[in-house]
Amino acid sequence: MKERKIILSEKEMPRKWYNIQADMPNPMQPPLNPATKKPAGPDDLSPIFPMSLIEQEMSQERWIDIPEEVLDIYTLWRPSPLHRAYSLEKALGTPAKIYYKQEGVSPAGSHKPNTAVAQAYYNKQAGVKRLSTETGAGQWGSALSLACNFFGLECTVYMVKVSYQQKPYRRSLMETWGANVFASPTDLTQSGRDMLAKNPDSMGSLGLAISEAVEDAAGRPDTNYSLGSVLNHVMLHQTVIGLECLEQFKMVNDYPDYVIGCCGGGSNFAGISFPFIHDKIRDDKNITCIGVEPKACPTLTKGAFTYDFGDVAKYTPMLMMYTLGHDFMPPGIHAGGLRYHGESPLVSQLYKDGLIEARAYGQEGVFEAALTFARTEGILPAPETAHAIKGAIDVALECKEAKEEKTILFNFSGHGHFDLTAYDDYLAGKIKDIEYPQEEIDKSIASLEKV
Amino acid sequence: MKERKIILSEKEMPRKWYNIQADMPNPMQPPLNPATKKPAGPDDLSPIFPMSLIEQEMSQERWIDIPEEVLDIYTLWRPSPLHRAYSLEKALGTPAKIYYKQEGVSPAGSHKPNTAVAQAYYNKQAGVKRLSTETGAGQWGSALSLACNFFGLECTVYMVKVSYQQKPYRRSLMETWGANVFASPTDLTQSGRDMLAKNPDSMGSLGLAISEAVEDAAGRPDTNYSLGSVLNHVMLHQTVIGLECLEQFKMVNDYPDYVIGCCGGGSNFAGISFPFIHDKIRDDKNITCIGVEPKACPTLTKGAFTYDFGDVAKYTPMLMMYTLGHDFMPPGIHAGGLRYHGESPLVSQLYKDGLIEARAYGQEGVFEAALTFARTEGILPAPETAHAIKGAIDVALECKEAKEEKTILFNFSGHGHFDLTAYDDYLAGKIKDIEYPQEEIDKSIASLEKV
């Protein structure tokens, strides 16, 4: 009997997050105040974030302590298992070894609680009573609802309307943990009302839902805003994933040649890859990190590296990142968590510097990969996660072609239990590849303000 | 930091199932041929079961080897974690220690694959090409779909119509693993057509869906039938749960005073409790095992111990068990998996002999317990599982009252990711206690054939 799961004990869980800013070959460009276009300082961020998170956002320290209270909640499901995908390997006939990190075991079903719990904790410490946020696929909203529940914070979630309609169970899940959930655009905020005036049938976007949540938080002194991806402190908290993987690979005396994650705002990819990029930069490890995105929202592969807003209404600081333009309205593909116009500035800078690679896939191939995984390893992946699976399968097949016994690690960022409408559609032949036209992307990027 | 999870390695997984028939103080009454009412032998069962399972059904051997191929698939998710429910304990203010066995980590989301994988394996070995089955809540159908997928068997599932309508995602999940799913009653079988003639609006029942699945299997030589609960071999396969718990308790030098599981057909309760009843019978351990059922379907607490059919159409052998009568149509409560009129003959005999206890609860209290659990331990339970949680919480509160530091173990038999309609209804105040009237039960039981 082969052993499939590599399990760390709770005692062996990482006690510090890894801050890649300490090791980047090129420094990060600062965020800019959205009005003045001058570098934004802590004061620009303090209306919606607690100072401890602002400090993490800007910190150059390599290792940052995980608070004991956060570790305690992590142990409800962490350390997460690292699986050797023997059945998938066999089905592919590849000589490559495939491992996946199972982040779907969290109560919210994805990696998102790794940062949600930390953010709720720091906000609670700062005396905040209520958090507002947006959610695309619903994974982030679920995670923050769960985290707020643990720390006794109120939680309001602006859920992108297309997901709200496709995934009613995600809404119920958030409500079960006590959150208030609204379909964005709403008439509760100016940015929502503006969108509804422009397009009453708008299905929403992450960029717009962010505007609504930021506006909500900025307008109430008891409320802060919480973001589930993109920002540096979010990437930081997610590094617990990759740090656990490093320990787990030691247990089986192996080490990955490829580290793969799906890429929306970048947090699960950053979480699994940054600790390996640490080794690449500092120990000269020969390792290929691949972010996988949908062809319908090809931020890294087709976007521009430039300053842009994080949201539609231009409330957020401008960030130096790969972007399709903040007005970009991606088609309503089922991988709602990958429909964001921008990309984490950290991931963007690393991509710019050639430390990571990116691939884009159409939805048909992605769902085919999801089914292959569900029918070999058993577990049903979220459509977002299926992008990473598609990437891993492709690399494994390249290894087969080249007869190379490489080691592949991918992040199983979440399960698909709330995504069965998408599987229904795929099985009924209704899911087609959507490629976003380059000229539309060029137009959207050309319209951005120059700074 | 307290350690919450007690984890066995794959190497430490039990290699044998425990057969409680070897240790029962009173022998089991034999099943009866439905036509002749004479004790049924292997020949009566061989049209729908492979001989290896029939042998297990009748075996008096204490320990039965788990095949290597079954162990291999078990390791996709087993051994499952044993959690110490510190957060729940704290919320209740109880001096009791509460542990739960997390069977929701299987790809199908419940304990059911423990027997589904074994049954698919033995059928494959016997050269069978196709399995038919019924499903109530959808957990069993999902499990068998998953298992058939692993062994390359076709799978046809008759899903009780009320669940089919309440849980469309469960159907999609089964289809993702390649199964064919029909809402029972169907017009594909005589028993289905008979019911539709009598009541075109019938929402179905487990008893009827079993008739349809048995009829399907009996009518096709390439097809066998597979049952997810009730029968002895199913209880046998589920003992892997309790056997793991025994090892896990050794790791923390503890041992339960109470072992609690929800009780529909009895398999998850049997799975967790039988290895402890072994200790009770053979080592005189002072341990209380409690099966928890809904007041809407109170088989153990209000039913009669008598011979009855397992299905509506009287196709199955008659079994000596607690029953509400095979015509009993329980109200469409959300815990669809607990809507069965009968009870495992093994569990029934042990209850008759005073080796286990039973409690029945209304749905409101059960969902309140589910929410308490979801908001403390994080994980959303299936409504069936919530009955066990309600039982554990009640015992923990009795311990608080009595100031007793007892150890409570319950089976977290499955997650509620496909049950969010029920949570929606509960949060909207739409879930009410339904108690089945005793005179209706008496009438149903009085109408049973005497043998």
Side-chain angles (χ1 to χ4, degrees):
Chain A
M1 200 179 71
K2 292 170 182 171
E3 281 183 71
R4 295 178 186 266
K5 298 185 297 299
I6 302 141
I7 310 271
L8 277 185
S9 73
E10 293 172 17
K11 281 190 208 115
E12 297 164 302
M13 200 159 64
R15 300 302 172 114
K16 293 173 193 293
W17 292 302
Y18 168 60
N19 180 14
I20 202 166
Q21 292 193 65
D23 293 314
M24 291 174 77
N26 290 306
M28 298 288 291
Q29 304 292 315
L32 305 181
N33 178 298
T36 66
K37 312 285 191 296
K38 296 266 160 57
D43 289 352
D44 293 287
L45 300 171
S46 60
I48 57 169
F49 293 116
M51 198 47 70
S52 43
L53 288 177
I54 295 171
E55 282 166 12
Q56 290 183 357
E57 189 66 18
M58 303 183 169
S59 170
Q60 302 295 315
E61 291 295 316
R62 183 169 293 120
W63 299 103
I64 293 177
D65 285 338
I66 307 176
E68 203 59 29
E69 293 86 341
V70 172
L71 283 170
D72 178 54
I73 292 186
Y74 277 180
T75 59
L76 282 168
W77 69 92
R78 302 208 74 84
S80 70
L82 179 68
H83 286 246
R84 174 78 186 271
Y86 284 114
S87 300
L88 176 61
E89 289 170 19
K90 196 175 159 193
L92 299 175
T94 179
K97 290 181 275 182
I98 306 175
Y99 295 84
Y100 62 96
K101 180 69 167 167
Q102 223 304 25
E103 289 293 305
V105 295
S106 82
S110 80
H111 66 294
K112 294 284 188 187
N114 297 333
T115 184
V117 169
Q119 293 191 44
Y121 167 77
Y122 289 118
N123 275 289
K124 178 76 177 184
Q125 291 295 104
V128 168
K129 304 290 179 212
R130 178 173 172 273
L131 290 179
S132 72
T133 197
E134 73 293 330
T135 197
Q139 286 184 331
W140 168 243
S142 308
L144 195 68
S145 304
L146 174 72
C148 284
N149 159 74
F150 286 136
F151 290 104
L153 297 171
E154 279 183 63
C155 185
T156 291
V157 182
Y158 295 86
M159 184 172 188
V160 177
K161 190 180 276 178
V162 61
S163 292
Y164 189 93
Q165 292 180 350
Q166 279 173 1
K167 303 187 175 189
Y169 283 16
R170 274 279 174 200
R171 174 189 52 71
S172 311
L173 184 63
M174 294 185 251
E175 289 173 352
T176 299
W177 285 317
N180 296 307
V181 187
F182 302 101
S184 167
T186 73
D187 59 3
L188 301 170
T189 67
Q190 194 55 50
S191 41
R193 288 188 293 269
D194 288 351
M195 177 54 77
L196 289 171
K198 219 166 89 183
N199 176 11
D201 299 326
S202 166
M203 294 305 278
S205 71
L206 265 184
L208 177 63
I210 293 175
S211 295
E212 293 209 88
V214 170
E215 188 182 330
D216 177 318
R220 287 182 56 164
D222 66 341
T223 301
N224 264 349
Y225 167 70
S226 182
L227 187 64
S229 195
V230 180
L231 297 179
N232 303 345
H233 65 271
V234 180
M235 307 297 129
L236 173 76
H237 302 152
Q238 292 294 356
T239 59
V240 67
I241 302 171
L243 293 167
E244 284 182 6
C245 288
L246 278 168
E247 295 305 310
Q248 287 165 313
F249 274 112
K250 275 185 209 159
M251 290 169 72
V252 291
N253 200 22
D254 206 344
Y255 192 89
D257 300 294
Y258 294 90
V259 178
I260 299 170
C262 65
C263 233
S267 81
N268 96 76
F269 172 66
I272 197 160
S273 67
F274 283 7
F276 290 96
I277 298 175
H278 166 278
D279 289 5
K280 189 180 170 99
I281 297 173
R282 293 174 60 87
D283 304 335
D284 213 23
K285 282 271 188 189
N286 183 13
I287 184 167
T288 305
C289 297
I290 306 172
V292 183
E293 54 187 21
K295 281 194 174 172
C297 190
T299 316
L300 287 172
T301 51
K302 301 244 177 136
F305 186 58
T306 184
Y307 269 111
D308 193 8
F309 298 96
D311 68 325
V312 170
K314 308 184 191 179
Y315 290 152
T316 70
M318 296 188 81
L319 302 170
M320 188 68 181
M321 61 182 177
Y322 280 87
T323 178
L324 299 165
H326 60 268
D327 278 333
F328 177 79
M329 276 283 178
I333 59 164
H334 281 290
L338 305 182
R339 291 176 77 238
Y340 187 59
H341 69 274
E343 181 62 58
S344 145
L346 285 169
V347 170
S348 294
Q349 184 67 49
L350 293 166
Y351 183 61
K352 183 75 183 165
D353 291 342
L355 283 161
I356 59 175
E357 300 179 8
R359 296 187 183 191
Y361 290 109
Q363 294 301 288
E364 272 192 76
V366 164
F367 273 92
E368 189 191 352
L371 227 66
T372 300
F373 189 82
R375 291 181 176 181
T376 50
E377 296 295 313
I379 313 166
L380 190 82
E384 293 81 6
T385 306
H387 287 74
I389 297 172
K390 170 68 176 159
I393 288 177
D394 265 25
V395 171
L397 293 175
E398 289 158 21
C399 290
K400 181 181 181 179
E401 190 70 25
K403 299 192 170 58
E404 285 182 329
E405 192 192 311
K406 299 281 191 184
T407 296
I408 301 164
L409 166 66
F410 73 88
N411 198 359
F412 187 93
S413 55
H415 64 63
H417 298 169
F418 302 103
D419 303 284
L420 280 154
T421 310
Y423 281 89
D424 259 3
D425 287 351
Y426 174 69
L427 291 171
K430 287 190 212 158
I431 286 191
K432 299 287 172 218
D433 285 352
I434 303 170
E435 194 160 346
Y436 212 77
Q438 187 67 50
E439 63 268 24
E440 289 294 322
I441 295 170
D442 292 343
K443 213 162 64 183
S444 169
I445 292 168
S447 72
L448 293 179
E449 290 175 58
K450 298 286 173 290
V451 290
Chain B
M1 199 180 72
K2 291 170 183 169
E3 282 183 70
R4 295 179 186 264
K5 299 185 297 298
I6 302 140
I7 310 272
L8 277 186
S9 74
E10 293 173 16
K11 281 189 209 117
E12 297 164 302
M13 200 160 64
R15 301 303 172 114
K16 293 173 192 292
W17 292 302
Y18 168 59
N19 179 14
I20 202 166
Q21 292 193 64
D23 292 314
M24 292 174 76
N26 289 306
M28 297 288 290
Q29 304 292 317
L32 305 182
N33 179 298
T36 66
K37 312 287 192 294
K38 296 265 158 60
D43 290 352
D44 292 288
L45 301 171
S46 60
I48 57 170
F49 293 115
M51 199 47 70
S52 43
L53 289 178
I54 296 171
E55 282 165 13
Q56 289 183 358
E57 188 67 19
M58 302 183 169
S59 171
Q60 301 295 315
E61 290 295 316
R62 183 168 293 119
W63 299 103
I64 293 178
D65 284 338
I66 307 176
E68 203 60 27
E69 293 86 341
V70 172
L71 282 170
D72 179 54
I73 292 186
Y74 277 179
T75 60
L76 282 168
W77 70 94
R78 303 207 73 85
S80 70
L82 179 69
H83 286 246
R84 174 77 186 270
Y86 283 115
S87 300
L88 176 60
E89 290 171 18
K90 197 176 159 193
L92 299 176
T94 178
K97 292 181 274 182
I98 306 176
Y99 294 85
Y100 62 95
K101 180 68 166 167
Q102 223 304 25
E103 290 293 306
V105 295
S106 82
S110 79
H111 66 294
K112 293 285 187 186
N114 297 333
T115 184
V117 169
Q119 292 190 43
Y121 167 77
Y122 288 118
N123 275 289
K124 178 77 176 184
Q125 290 295 103
V128 168
K129 304 289 179 215
R130 179 174 171 272
L131 290 179
S132 71
T133 197
E134 73 293 330
T135 197
Q139 286 185 331
W140 168 244
S142 308
L144 194 68
S145 304
L146 174 73
C148 284
N149 158 75
F150 285 135
F151 289 103
L153 297 171
E154 279 183 65
C155 184
T156 290
V157 182
Y158 295 87
M159 185 173 187
V160 178
K161 191 179 274 176
V162 61
S163 292
Y164 189 93
Q165 291 179 351
Q166 280 173 1
K167 304 188 173 188
Y169 282 17
R170 273 281 175 198
R171 174 189 52 72
S172 311
L173 184 63
M174 294 184 249
E175 288 172 353
T176 298
W177 285 318
N180 297 307
V181 187
F182 302 101
S184 166
T186 73
D187 58 4
L188 301 170
T189 67
Q190 194 55 49
S191 41
R193 288 189 293 271
D194 287 351
M195 176 54 76
L196 290 171
K198 219 166 87 182
N199 176 10
D201 299 326
S202 167
M203 295 304 280
S205 71
L206 265 183
L208 177 63
I210 292 174
S211 295
E212 293 209 86
V214 169
E215 188 182 330
D216 178 319
R220 287 182 57 164
D222 66 341
T223 301
N224 264 349
Y225 167 70
S226 183
L227 186 64
S229 195
V230 180
L231 297 179
N232 303 344
H233 65 272
V234 180
M235 307 297 130
L236 174 77
H237 302 153
Q238 293 295 354
T239 59
V240 67
I241 303 171
L243 292 167
E244 286 182 6
C245 288
L246 278 168
E247 295 304 311
Q248 287 164 313
F249 274 111
K250 276 186 209 159
M251 290 170 73
V252 291
N253 200 21
D254 205 344
Y255 193 89
D257 299 295
Y258 294 90
V259 178
I260 298 170
C262 65
C263 233
S267 81
N268 97 75
F269 172 66
I272 198 161
S273 67
F274 283 7
F276 290 97
I277 298 175
H278 166 277
D279 289 5
K280 189 181 170 98
I281 296 173
R282 293 174 60 86
D283 304 335
D284 213 23
K285 281 270 188 190
N286 184 12
I287 185 167
T288 305
C289 297
I290 306 172
V292 183
E293 55 187 19
K295 280 195 176 173
C297 192
T299 315
L300 286 173
T301 50
K302 301 242 178 137
F305 186 60
T306 183
Y307 269 110
D308 193 9
F309 297 96
D311 68 326
V312 169
K314 309 184 191 179
Y315 290 151
T316 71
M318 296 187 83
L319 302 171
M320 188 68 182
M321 62 181 177
Y322 280 87
T323 178
L324 299 166
H326 60 266
D327 276 333
F328 177 80
M329 275 285 176
I333 60 164
H334 281 291
L338 305 183
R339 290 176 79 239
Y340 187 58
H341 69 274
E343 180 63 59
S344 144
L346 285 170
V347 171
S348 294
Q349 185 66 49
L350 293 165
Y351 184 60
K352 183 75 183 167
D353 292 342
L355 283 160
I356 60 176
E357 300 179 8
R359 295 188 184 190
Y361 290 109
Q363 294 301 288
E364 272 192 77
V366 163
F367 273 92
E368 190 192 353
L371 227 67
T372 299
F373 189 83
R375 291 181 176 181
T376 50
E377 297 294 314
I379 314 165
L380 191 82
E384 292 82 6
T385 306
H387 287 73
I389 297 172
K390 170 67 176 159
I393 288 178
D394 265 24
V395 171
L397 293 175
E398 289 159 20
C399 291
K400 182 181 181 180
E401 190 70 26
K403 297 191 170 59
E404 285 182 329
E405 193 192 310
K406 298 283 190 183
T407 296
I408 301 165
L409 166 66
F410 74 87
N411 198 0
F412 188 93
S413 54
H415 63 63
H417 298 168
F418 302 104
D419 303 284
L420 281 153
T421 310
Y423 281 90
D424 260 4
D425 287 351
Y426 175 69
L427 291 170
K430 286 191 213 154
I431 286 191
K432 300 285 172 221
D433 285 351
I434 303 169
E435 193 160 343
Y436 212 77
Q438 186 67 50
E439 63 267 24
E440 289 295 321
I441 294 170
D442 292 343
K443 213 160 67 183
S444 169
I445 293 168
S447 72
L448 293 179
E449 291 176 56
K450 299 286 174 289
V451 289

